[in-house]
């Protein structure tokens, strides 16, 4: 009975480290999966700002580098890629 009493009160030992390691592995796995699936899809939305493809296309059209037919053709491709609505007219 003395051996059982000694083992029972030795404390948790090195096995206690496995619980935080398991939780850390779970958290890292969830974040990795979210970054590769859900959050990546959000980045494909229409980019805003001066460097967005639609803004660049608008500047090229305004500068006369492309004609109106080319502008609308490329804008329709961007609409398919980024899901932008063309109801508001030109970008």
């Amino acid at each position: 009975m003395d051996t059982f009493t000694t083992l029972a009160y030795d404390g948790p030992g090195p096995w206690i480290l496995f619980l935080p390691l398991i939780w850390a592995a779970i958290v890292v796995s969830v974040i990795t999966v979210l970054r590769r699936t859900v959050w990546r899809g959000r980045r494909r939305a229409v980019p805003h700002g001066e460097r967005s493809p639609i803004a660049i296309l608008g500047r090229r059209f305004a500068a006369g580098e492309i004609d109106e037919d080319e502008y609308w053709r490329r804008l329709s491709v961007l609409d398919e890629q980024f899901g932008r609505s063309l109801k508001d007219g030109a970008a």
Side-chain angles (χ1 to χ4, degrees), residues 25-45:
I26 290 171
V27 169
V28 167
S29 299
V30 167
I31 290 174
T32 301
V33 167
L34 288 175
R35 287 184 69 191
R36 292 184 180 208
T37 58
V38 177
W39 293 338
R40 180 171 294 197
R42 290 184 182 173
R43 279 189 247 156
R44 292 186 183 154

Side-chain angles (χ1 to χ4, degrees), residues 47-57 59:
H48 299 288
E50 296 176 0
R51 298 185 54 95
S52 73
I54 294 174
I56 293 170
L57 181 65
R59 282 195 301 274

Side-chain angles (χ1 to χ4, degrees), residues 7-85:
L7 290 176
Y9 294 105
D10 275 345
W15 300 104
I16 194 71
L17 297 175
F18 281 116
L19 188 60
L21 290 175
I22 290 172
W23 277 110
I26 290 171
V27 169
V28 167
S29 299
V30 167
I31 290 174
T32 301
V33 167
L34 288 175
R35 287 184 69 191
R36 292 184 180 208
T37 58
V38 177
W39 293 338
R40 180 171 294 197
R42 290 184 182 173
R43 279 189 247 156
R44 292 186 183 154
V46 177
H48 299 288
E50 296 176 0
R51 298 185 54 95
S52 73
I54 294 174
I56 293 170
L57 181 65
R59 282 195 301 274
R60 289 186 66 198
F61 177 63
E65 295 177 21
I66 57 175
D67 62 355
E68 185 177 359
D69 292 332
E70 182 71 16
Y71 172 78
W72 287 111
R73 187 169 45 251
R74 290 182 184 217
L75 189 61
S76 67
V77 170
L78 291 174
D79 177 43
E80 290 175 10
Q81 183 177 1
F82 294 110
R84 181 179 177 275
S85 173

